[in-house]
Amino acid sequence: MQRRQWWATLALTAIATVTTAAYASAAQGSYPNAPITMIVPFAAGSGTDAVARAVGQKLGERLQQPVIVDNRAGANAQIAAGLVAKAKPDGYTLFMTTNTSHSANPWLVKSLKYDPIKDFTPIARVGELPFALAVHPSVPADSVQALIDYAKANPGKLSYATPNSTSLVASETLRFLSKTDIVGVPYKSSPQALTDLMGNQVQMYVVDLGSGWSMLKTDRVRTLAVTAAKGSKILPNVPPIGKTLSGFDITSWNGIFAPAGTPPEVVNKINGALQAVLADEAVQKQLEQIGFEVWPTKTPQEFTQYVSEQLAYWGRLVKQADIPAQ
């Protein structure tokens, strides 16, 4: 009798194990079956927010679940990154972020509370938000070289706005490579920096096209160059800073991550849907209207390598320009 009971218990246990595994497999295979949250580390109205909303809507259509954008601005992307790093790795929390959280912060923040490599699963690079060097019209310079010459002839007279990590690193790199005395002025937001540039409270600003696109098309500022060595498709007639200062190449990239430990099949499904979204010419044109250039990686592995390379590259930039961590 005891032997029969033992076999019956064993059989029931085996059935329960198989049933649980099958249920888990089915649940995972049905991803997604609930709304997805896409956390953005910057405020509504920012360039990254605009990209997240445009891409998120189309991604939701592909995955047949709504993608809800959740803005968690503050501490230069640290708050949002910390939330995502601690989120459940089930594919229902995504992170639309930039080089700020994953390339710059590890070198600019002394006590970073997340690891940009260990705490996240890269899904895909979406593209880049070009940055341009703009000056107030009162500055007598129509090129980067003319700006450098004027700055050298007037040490300490020019100032530049730095509301984000890309503006800071690009401006400090320009100052270092050109050996000029230009004063940095920190800002909490791009809109205020733009306002002060147009008002001549600061004379220079390395501005992202997402927030500065409409302003750059007016005569209230003068656009001298873009920061990426390859130039910009959106500003084809504006030269790269690297043509004047050899080696200058700073790109503000944008990509989507999930928390570390997210299942590969879920990551691949999101990546596949995202590739289809970014290949859509209508989406590309929509993003181009806000100054964003679609430039996706094809696989999560390719994006993983890119993130690692950018982390090392930004480390070299920060050390070269001797920018202290705060």
Side-chain angles (χ1 to χ4, degrees), residues 42-312:
F42 306 113
S46 64
T48 304
D49 172 72
V51 175
R53 293 181 186 279
V55 172
Q57 179 183 350
K58 294 298 182 180
L59 184 62
E61 292 174 6
R62 289 277 175 179
L63 294 175
Q64 298 184 335
Q65 287 291 342
V67 174
I68 302 166
V69 174
D70 183 3
N71 298 91
R72 296 298 183 101
N76 212 27
Q78 293 181 72
I79 293 174
L83 285 172
V84 176
K86 296 175 182 177
K88 188 175 180 180
D90 55 7
Y92 291 97
T93 299
L94 302 179
F95 191 25
M96 169 75 83
T97 189
T98 70
N99 50 285
T100 292
S101 62
H102 279 66
S103 302
N105 278 355
W107 308 106
L108 297 174
V109 179
K110 284 184 178 179
S111 301
L112 199 63
K113 301 191 184 309
Y114 64 88
D115 188 302
I117 302 298
K118 296 179 180 178
D119 291 342
F120 302 88
T121 299
I123 296 176
R125 183 182 63 208
V126 175
E128 66 179 5
L129 194 59
F131 274 65
L133 170 60
V135 297
H136 187 268
S138 64
V139 178
D142 58 4
S143 68
V144 173
Q145 187 58 58
L147 175 66
I148 292 171
D149 293 342
Y150 180 77
K152 286 184 175 180
N154 299 271
K157 184 175 181 178
L158 297 178
S159 61
Y160 56 84
T162 58
N164 55 63
S165 60
T166 302
S167 295
L168 171 64
V169 175
S171 300
E172 287 291 311
T173 299
L174 187 152
R175 178 196 58 77
F176 171 79
L177 292 177
S178 64
K179 297 180 173 57
T180 51
D181 179 9
I182 307 174
V183 182
V185 181
Y187 281 81
K188 290 184 178 180
S189 68
S190 294
Q192 187 58 52
L194 287 167
T195 298
D196 283 3
L197 175 66
M198 290 185 288
N200 202 23
Q201 277 73 43
V202 291
Q203 293 72 48
M204 298 168 49
Y205 178 21
V206 178
V207 57
D208 68 274
L209 268 59
S211 60
W213 184 232
S214 59
M215 177 197 69
L216 294 177
K217 293 185 288 186
T218 72
D219 59 1
R220 301 186 69 180
V221 301
R222 185 182 303 122
T223 305
L224 300 186
V226 293
T227 61
K230 65 182 180 65
S232 170
K233 292 185 294 184
I234 298 173
L235 294 172
N237 298 320
V238 178
I241 294 176
K243 280 198 171 182
T244 303
L245 296 174
S246 180
F248 194 105
D249 184 18
I250 296 178
T251 299
S252 176
W253 57 265
N254 177 303
I256 295 179
F257 295 79
T262 301
E265 53 269 35
V266 171
V267 171
N268 289 333
K269 187 165 187 177
I270 299 170
N271 178 72
L274 187 60
Q275 296 299 327
V277 169
L278 299 178
D280 188 331
E281 290 186 4
V283 173
Q284 294 176 11
K285 289 180 180 179
Q286 179 184 0
L287 293 176
E288 188 174 308
Q289 294 302 310
I290 58 173
F292 187 83
E293 295 183 11
V294 172
W295 182 37
T297 49
K298 296 301 181 184
T299 66
Q301 293 75 22
E302 184 183 345
F303 186 39
T304 298
Q305 181 178 346
Y306 178 81
V307 171
S308 180
E309 291 171 350
Q310 283 291 298
L311 176 60

